[in-house]
Amino acid sequence: MLEETLILFRNIRNPDYDKSLKGYKKAGGLKALKQALEMQPDEIVQLTKDSGLRGRGGAGFPTGLKWSFMAKDTGKPTYLVCNADESEPGTCKDRELMLHDPHQFLEGMMISCLAIGCRHGYIYVRGEYWPSIKSLNAALQELYDDGILGKKLLGKGPKLDLTVHPGAGAYICGEETALLDSIEGKRGHPRVKPPFPAVSGFNACPTTVNNVETLTCLPFIVNEGAEAFKAFGPENNAGPHLISLSGHVNKPGVYEVRLDANLKDIIYDFGGGIPNGKQLKGVIPGGASSSVLTADEIDVTYSFDALAQAGTMMGSAAIMVFDEDTDVVKLLHRIVRFFSHESCGQCTPCREGTHWARMIIRDFLNGNGNEHKLKRLHRVGGNMMGTTVCALGDACGMPIQSFTTKFADEFRDVQALAA
Amino acid sequence: MDAFPTEIVRFELDGKTIEALPGESILQAAQRTGSEIPHLCYKAGYRPDGNCRACVVEIDGERVLAPSCCRNPKEGMQVNSQSERALHSQKMVVELLLSDMPEQGKSPYTQRSELDIWAEKLGVVQPRFAGRQQPVQDISHPAISVQLDACIQCTRCVRACREVQVNDVIGYANRGDHSTIVFDLNDPLGVSTCVACGECVQACPTGALMPSDNVGLEVSDKTVASSCPYCGVGCLLTYDVKDNRILRVEGREGPANKSRLCVKGRYGFDYVHHPDRLTQPQIRCEGVPKTVELLNPSDFDKVFRPASWEEALEVAASGLKRIRDEQGPQALAGFGCAKGSNEEAYLLQKLVRTGFGNNNIDHCTRLCHASSVVALLEGIGSGAVSNPFTDVEDAEVIMVVGSNTPVNHPVAATFFKNAAQAGKDLILIDPRRIDLARYASYSLQFNPDTDVALFNALMHTIVEEGLCNEEYLAKYTEGFDALKENLKDYSPEGMAKVCGIPAETLREVARRYATAKSSIIFWGMGVSQHIHGTDNARCLIALALMTGQIGRPGTGLHPLRGQNNVQGASDMGLIPMVFPDYKPVGDPTAKHFFEKLWGTTLDPNPGLTVVEITEEIHKRNIKGLYIMGENPAMSDPNLNHTREALARLEHFVIQDIFPTETAGFADVILPTSAFPEKTGTFTNTNRQVQLGRQALEPPGDSRQDWWIIQEMAKRLGLSWNYRGVPDVFEEIRKATPSMAGITWDRLEQDHSVTYPCENEGDPGDPVIFTDGFPTPSGRGKFVPAKFSQAAELPNEEFPYVFITGRQLEHWHTGSMTRRAGVLDAIEPLPIVSVNPSDLGQLGVDAGTTLTVQSRRGKLTAFARGDHGVPEGNVYMSFAYNEAAANLITTDRLDPFGKIPEFKFCAVKLSAGGDPAPRLV
Ligand SMILES: Cc1cc2nc3c(=O)[nH]c(=O)nc-3n(C[C@H](O)[C@H](O)[C@H](O)COP(=O)(O)O)c2cc1C
Ligand code: SF4
Ligand code: SF4
Ligand code: SF4
Ligand code: FES
C-alpha cells in the first residue's frame, strides 16, 4: 500500500497547523531563509543544482541550471517571477500550497530571490484563485509587518519586495513569456524565443520564471541538504512531488508522492480505484497536454524519465483517469476545445490547427467522419508540434496524436454507430 | 531577436554556405543571397513578429522548427529550409490560411496577394479544410475598405498602425480562432480614430485592407518612382498608372519617409483628374469688370474665353511689357510658389530679375517661415535646417514648438512618436494640446503670444543654474553678454503668470534640454507667424547656442518647412532680397556673379515682399502681376483688402492648374501641368534634393510650367533656350555652389541627395555647423529678444483669440485637396474648433453653425468641440473659400521677416449664421 510522503505537505496534513507566520515559525519555518542569508548566491544555486530539483510547472527543467543561465553584469535588475497561474486542466496543487501553507512557499521564493539576486519578485496568480490571492497577501503583510520583507530582508539582508499580480483568466498567461507580457500590462502573447527570459524577460531584464511548487521545495533543500532531497526518487528524478488526481477514481485529490511510485498504485491506493467497479480505460498522466495511456500502459513508474520513456510526460502531474464508459471522441473533443479556446491566436499552426482539429472531431461526433478525416486530424495535430511560438501547439498536438493512434478504432466506431 | 551580432556570420543553408551581415536573420540572409523561404508575417522594415510560421526551417541540433524571420544565424549553423519536415510545415501553414479565403484558394481583393503567390510557389492548390463563417465587409471609411474574410492574422497592420505610424488604432482582439484585428474598440473603420495614413493597407499581404475603390484588381500599365506633392517632409512614393490615370500610390523607401506616407500623399492624388482642370489658355473677356467678389466657377465662361497659346502668351507678355516700358520696372511684380520645382522657381525669379528688371519676386515662404529664416540668417548665417528630422533617433530630448506635427508633417511626426516610444523625452510647447501630447514627457500649453517670455524664462534658468556650455560659448558664439543682460528680467517665477506655466515646470524643461547629451528643437508656424515671429526664432537659436545643442547628430535647429519645395524655392532665390543661394541682391560680388551668369544688368535694390506687394497694388503703384501657382485670394491675410488689390491690377497673368479663387481676377490664365505630370527636383525640409518624375501626360492643351516661363521670357525680349528641365538644373548647379556637386544622373539613380554637396561625388552633409557657422566671424550670434504682444489683443467687443493653421486632410487653400475625392469626403465642411466649455457658454451645439467676426471680416462655419483648444481661443484652417479664415486675420507684419500675424487676432463669436456657398 502506497503511503503519502510528507515534505511539502508536512504542515498541511497536520490538522492543528496554524498557517499564520507565528504558526509557521513554530513549525520550524524561516530557518532555511536565515541559513540562505549566510550563503553566497552561487552557493544556493549550486546547492539547488546538486539537489536535482526539476521544475514542477510542466517542462521539468532543472531549476539550478535555469538559474545559472541568468545573464550576469548587465547593469539591469534581475527578476524572479513565480508562475502561480495553475491553469492546466486537472491541476490544483499550487492552490493547496498557497491557500494552506503560504509561508512555506514564500520562504522558498525569498531564498530563490537571494539565489538570483532579485530585489523585487512577482507572483502571478491565476485570476480565479481569489482565496489564494487573499491568503498570499495576508501572509505578505505579516512578513512586511515583521520586518522580514522590505528594505532589509530579515532586518539584515538586501532589499526584497514581493508583489502578487492576479491574472485575468487566460490559460496562455501560464506560458512564461505570455505571463511576463501580462505583468507588463500587455496582451498575453507568448514571445518568440530566443531570447529567453534569462536574457530578456520582465521589462527586458534577466528573469527566471518558476512554478509555485518548485520554489516551495527550497526550504527543505536548504535545511536538509541536496542528498536528502534526491533520496525521494530515482536518479535524475529527485524529490517529492505533488500530484493532482482526478476523474473516475473514488478518492480524487492532491497527494504528495515519491518519484518512484507506480502510476497504477497511485490510482488504486491513493485514488481508491474506479467507482462502481468499472474497468479503467485510460489515463491522462500529466495534464491535458500529455499523451494518453491505455489501460495496458499504466504499470509505469511515475517519474519524469519513466513517463517520457513511455511516450508521454509528467507535465504538471495532473492524473486524469477515465473508465470504460467514457466516449474518447468526446473526451478528445473536450480537450481540443479547451486548447482552441485558450490559444492566444497569434501563430497559424495553433490558431488554425486547433480550430480545424476541433471541427474535424465534431464531424466525427456528428457522424460525418471518415478514414480520410482521421488521417487529416492526425496530421494537423502533428503539424502543431514543434512549429509554434509556444508549447501550446505541442500541448494540443500530443493528445490529438495519441488519441487518434491509440483509440483509432473508437473513432471508427463512432462513425459506424452514426451510420 | 538575439542580441545583435556585430560580425559577418557564415552558415549553411540547404547545403550551401552563405554569409549573414551583422543583424541579419536567416530569412534576410537567404533573400539577399537569392534563396527563397516562404514568409507572410515578415515585412522588410518592420519588427519581425514570427507569428505566421510560413518561414520555419530545421536547424541541426534543435528539436523544434525555427522561424527564419526571427532567428539570427550562428557561425557554422546548419539550416534546412527544404527538408521534408520544414516544407511540410510551410505548406500546412499556407493551406490552413488558404482554406479561409473567401474564394477558397485565392484572394478576391488583390492581384498581389502574397498568400496566393506562396501557395503557387509551394504548389498548394486546393485546401482540404472547409471555410468558416467570416465577418462582412466594412466600407464605412472613404479611403479604405476592410474585408477581414481575407485576413490571415499576420498582424502586419497592427505593427503598421502601432509601431510604424504609431496611430494606435488597430488592435488584436479575442483569442484562438476568434482572433481578429479591430479598430479602436471594435468600431467600424469610418468612425474610428483612423487618420487614413494607409500604412496598414500597404502592409496587408492579402488585400484584407485595400484602398476603397477596388483598384486592387486592376493591373497597371506602369509604375513611376516619384515623390509627394504636398508637405516639406518629402516622402518618396510610387505611382501605379493605367490609361494615363493614377490607380494608387504606395510609399517608397526614401530617407525622409522609410516607405511611409500620410493620407494626402496616399489618397490625395485624384485632383489631377478633376473636371475643373484648366486645359486651354483663357483670356478675360473684354469689358468684364473685376470686383472683390470671388468668381463663381459656374460663371467662368462668362468671364473668360478660351484662346490659343500663341494669342494667350502674346496678350500676357505684351501687357507686362507695356507696363514695364511705360511705367518702369517697379510697376511689375511676381509671385512664385513653393509647390513648383527648383527649376521652375529658378526660372521664375530669373524672369522677374532679368525680364521685369526688379526684385519684386516673393512666394509663400513669406507667409510661413520668413521670420525664422531672417533670424537664422542673422544668427547663424544660414536659413536651412541644421539636422534632418530623422535625427530624433540620436536625440535624447526632442523639443517641438508651435508645430502640430501629426497634422502638418504627418510622416515626420511618426518618427517623433517612434523616438518617444523608444524612451526619448518629447517636450511640446504649444497653446493647443495636440495629439502628440499622448507621447510627450512635457506638454506646455502656454498662453498664446507669450513665446518670448517662455523661452527667455528657460534661458534664464539655464544661465542661473550654470547649465550653459561654456566651452561652446567661448569657441563658437558671440554676443552672449547682451543676451545674459536681457535675460535678467525673465525669471521663471516672474514669467509663470505671463505664460501660464508653473515656474518649476519651466525649470525642469530647461534643465532637461540643457543637460541632455543631445537635444533637438523643431518648430512650426506657431513660432513664426507672429509680429514677434523673428524674436521667437531668435530665442530658439539662442537656446541651442548657449547649451551647445547644435552641430552634432541628434541636436540642432529644425524649422519644419511647410511646402514640398519651400526650402528649394527659397534656395533658388524666389525671395526679394536674395539671389539664388541666399546671396544678397545688394552685395556687389553677388550681383556681379549673376550679371555674368545671366548676361544682363541687375537691380541692386531688394524687392518687395508678398504683403508689401499687395499694399503697393492697392496704392496703384504696382500695376502688373505675374503669378505661378500661388493663391493669394485665399492665403493672404485680411482677404477683403487683398482681393480689392487684385481687382485693381491693370494686367494680371496667372499660370495654374485650376481656376483658383485668385485666377478669377486674372486677365490671362495659362493652364499648366500638375505635379505628377512633370519632372523636376524638389528640396524637402531635410535639405534633401529629390526627383519628382512625370507619370502622366498633362490634360488637353495644358503645358509644362518651365516651357511657359521660357515662352514668357522670350516675349519679354530674353533669349532663353533651355531644352528641358535637366538644362535648367545644370544652370542651378552653377548658381548654387552648395548644390554644385549634385548631378542629374545621380538624382536619377539615387532619387535623393542631401546638400551641401559641393563637389561631384560628395555624399552630402546631413548635419551642418559641426565646426562653427557660415557667418562673417564664423560664430553664432546671440540676439536678445524682449517680450512684446500681438498687434491686436482681445477686448470686450472681440473677446476671443483667432488662430489659423492647417488640417490633416486639406492642403493650404484647398485648391488641390478639396478636389481630391477621398480627402474631401473625410473633411467636406469648414470647421471652426472651439473648446467645448466655450461652446457651452455660447449656447452652440457642436455641428451647428457659428459666426466669427473680426474688425476686418466675417465668416460662418461649423462648430467642432476640441478640448485641445484652450478656452478663449478658436482655431480654423484656411482651406475653405465659403468660410475663408483669412477674411478674419490681420495683415500687420513682423518688422524683420515681414510675415503676417496669422496666429493671433481678436474676434467675437455668435451662434448660428448661414454658411456661404462653396465655390469648388
Ligand atoms: C500553454 C502553457 C501553459 C502553461 N501554464 C503553466 C502554469 O499554469 N503554471 C506553471 O507553473 N507553468 C505553466 N507553464 C510552464 C511555464 O511556461 C514554465 O515552463 C514554468 O512556469 C517554469 O517553471 P518551473 O521551471 O518551475 O517548472 C505553461 C506552459 C505553456 C506552454
Ligand atoms: S502556439 Fe498557440 S498559444 Fe502558443 S503562441 Fe502560438 S497561437 Fe499562441
Ligand atoms: S490607415 Fe493608418 S491610422 Fe488608419 S488604421 Fe491604418 S495604419 Fe492605422
Ligand atoms: S488585415 Fe491584413 S495585415 Fe492585418 S492581420 Fe489581416 S492579413 Fe495581416
Ligand atoms: S514570416 Fe517568419 S513567422 Fe511569419
Side-chain angles (χ1 to χ4, degrees), chain B residues 431-446:
Chain B
R432 289 167 71 204
R433 186 179 192 279
I434 59 171
D435 279 352
L436 265 187
R438 284 178 53 207
Y439 308 92
S441 311
Y442 293 92
S443 178
L444 309 189
Q445 265 191 279
F446 68 108

Side-chain angles (χ1 to χ4, degrees), chain A residues 172 189-190 342-348 350-351 388-393:
Chain A
I172 196 59
H189 265 184
E342 296 294 342
S343 155
C344 82
Q346 67 170 320
C347 58
T348 313
C350 168
R351 178 188 65 243
T388 49
V389 173
C390 82
L392 189 138

